[in-house]
Amino acid sequence: MLESLDLEPRVVVFLALAGLAAGFIDAVVGGGGLVQLPALLVGLPGATPVQLLATNKLGSICGTTVSSVTYFRRIRPDLRTAVPLALAAFAGSAGGAALAFLISKEAFNPIILVVLVAVGAYTLLKPSMGQLQALRFGHARRKHVGTAVVIGVVVGAYDGALGPGTGSFFVFALVSALGYGFLEASAKAKIANLATNLAALVVFVPQGAVIWSVGLLLGAANVLGGYLGARVAVARGSGFVRVVFVVIVVAFILKIGWDTGRQLLG
């Protein structure tokens, strides 16, 4: 059993640094899973994919909780949209996690790559997007909240079934579909991402999929990274968050493009 093994000091340091970086990136704009999941794969080569996914969720939820609280205290996001978004995301993620065992994750790589290229291109071609808040459906509250619910279900289901990039997808959807600024979108995305992580754990924990010692180590590192990332994002504003968003999307494209190429050639 992996849980009974003593990790080498270098592996502990490696995972702790990965958790710190993942927490910081995830707090700023989402996408910490792109750092943390590969780190778990390298650090725990004997773990099953379900164990890696579940342990990653435990580490992530710790950092997401801290960054959500920090954003909430400093940004005060509108809960009339954030709460329905989070509830829908919880339901979507629980459903996605339940279906995760039936889905071939390798088949999703080409689809995710196309989506990320589209997201990155749209963001670069519209430099004003997210710099100023210009809410859509301002006089149609039900339409505004209804759109947020659809975003929550769709992105939440992706997070439960697959995972990496969830925070970035939430941010992009809230900015492009509802007209939020990047900073306000990041605040709402953190609350929704907290809900998706919790829902996935509700599914994974009873199955004994979490490696608790590793998950708690990542969680502690995520807490520090999430706190620092949220404070930096709030202090630097939407312009900074947009730059980080573009960088993370490009990193996703390169990483998933590389994986997809290896998959097709191998």
Side-chain angles (χ1 to χ4, degrees):
M1 292 290 291
L2 277 169
E3 196 63 74
S4 64
L5 295 179
D6 292 326
L7 296 178
E8 296 182 14
R10 61 186 180 84
V11 176
V12 172
V13 172
F14 170 70
L15 291 175
L17 290 175
L20 180 68
F24 185 92
I25 292 170
D26 211 49
V28 174
V29 74
L34 187 65
V35 174
Q36 198 160 269
L37 274 174
L40 282 168
L41 186 60
V42 172
L44 303 176
T48 66
V50 173
Q51 286 178 314
L52 296 177
L53 181 59
T55 304
N56 175 63
K57 290 297 181 188
L58 177 59
S60 296
I61 199 172
C62 296
T64 305
T65 300
V66 172
S67 57
S68 296
V69 171
T70 303
Y71 270 114
F72 182 79
R73 291 176 60 187
R74 293 173 176 268
I75 301 300
R76 299 290 182 184
D78 184 1
L79 294 181
R80 293 177 300 171
T81 300
V83 171
L85 172 69
L87 291 175
F90 184 95
S93 181
L99 294 173
F101 300 103
L102 305 176
I103 301 173
S104 172
K105 292 180 174 57
E106 290 80 6
F108 278 88
N109 272 3
I111 299 173
I112 297 169
L113 182 61
V114 170
V115 172
L116 287 173
V117 170
V119 167
Y122 186 80
T123 304
L124 288 173
L125 292 173
K126 296 196 69 174
S128 62
M129 186 183 74
Q131 296 300 310
L132 297 175
Q133 188 152 292
L135 296 185
R136 298 179 176 84
F137 316 124
H139 299 292
R141 188 70 200 169
R142 289 184 181 179
K143 204 167 191 179
H144 182 94
V145 173
T147 303
V149 167
V150 171
I151 291 170
V153 171
V154 172
V155 181
Y158 164 80
D159 190 36
L162 206 56
T166 297
S168 296
F169 287 137
F170 269 128
V171 171
F172 175 78
L174 290 170
V175 170
S176 60
L178 291 177
Y180 284 104
F182 268 106
L183 194 58
E184 176 74 16
S186 292
K188 285 182 170 62
K190 286 301 102 189
I191 296 173
N193 209 174
L194 174 61
T196 62
N197 286 335
L198 179 60
L201 286 173
V202 167
V203 175
F204 289 132
V205 169
Q207 298 176 352
V210 178
I211 304 173
W212 288 96
S213 58
V214 177
L216 292 174
L217 169 66
L218 291 173
N222 263 254
V223 166
L224 178 57
Y227 175 74
L228 294 175
R231 289 183 65 91
V232 169
V234 170
R236 300 292 295 273
S238 289
F240 172 77
V241 176
R242 181 180 185 276
V243 170
V244 176
F245 179 82
V246 171
V247 171
I248 293 300
V249 167
V250 170
F252 283 167
I253 291 171
L254 293 175
K255 175 65 169 63
I256 297 175
W258 172 260
D259 291 343
T260 301
R262 291 178 61 189
Q263 176 185 330
L264 294 175
L265 294 174

